[in-house]
Amino acid sequence: MDRVQLRAVKRARRKAVRVQDCEALAACAISLLERSIACGHRRLAVLRLHDAAEKGAALTTQHVAYCEQVAKSADEPELKALVRRSRQLLKVRTASTGAR
């Protein structure tokens, strides 16, 4: 994703917030998370993982595994707490929908 595409995603996110479009917010959160991972923005990826989890985005095991690895290697309790909270949000959502 280049800068132009990044700006478009951020604009779409702002619009989704204004009109309260949960699906669009989740899609934007995933796009921003994937960009952070691709660019090696480790701390930002953890923040965006948590944002995506809060928005109900369909996170993959790769998203979570990457951020868990970042949190393990970082000496920041806040990052570990964010990943732990993101996992809890995912478990609650999975349990409530009956998905496995």
Side-chain angles (χ1 to χ4, degrees):
M1 178 183 309
D2 62 20
R3 285 182 172 272
V4 174
Q5 292 169 319
L6 175 62
R7 287 186 195 117
V9 169
K10 288 183 176 182
R11 270 193 305 277
R13 184 180 186 279
R14 285 191 298 272
K15 179 181 177 186
V17 167
R18 281 194 309 272
V19 298
Q20 298 179 342
D21 185 347
C22 295
E23 288 180 24
L25 276 172
C28 290
I30 289 290
S31 293
L32 293 171
L33 170 61
E34 289 176 349
R35 182 179 191 279
S36 294
I37 291 172
C39 291
H41 301 154
R42 298 165 47 87
R43 189 173 192 288
L44 184 55
V46 173
L47 297 173
R48 286 184 169 165
L49 173 81
H50 188 259
D51 183 52
E54 284 184 326
K55 306 258 183 303
L59 295 165
T60 66
T61 54
Q62 290 84 4
H63 294 138
V64 177
Y66 176 84
C67 292
E68 284 178 336
Q69 184 60 39
V70 169
K72 284 179 187 175
S73 67
D75 191 25
E76 295 182 57
E78 297 85 14
L79 291 183
K80 292 174 183 163
L82 281 175
V83 171
R84 195 169 36 253
R85 179 67 183 133
S86 298
R87 273 206 163 278
Q88 290 170 347
L89 289 169
L90 293 171
K91 285 180 185 177
V92 168
R93 189 174 322 107
T94 302
S96 67
T97 61
R100 293 184 185 248

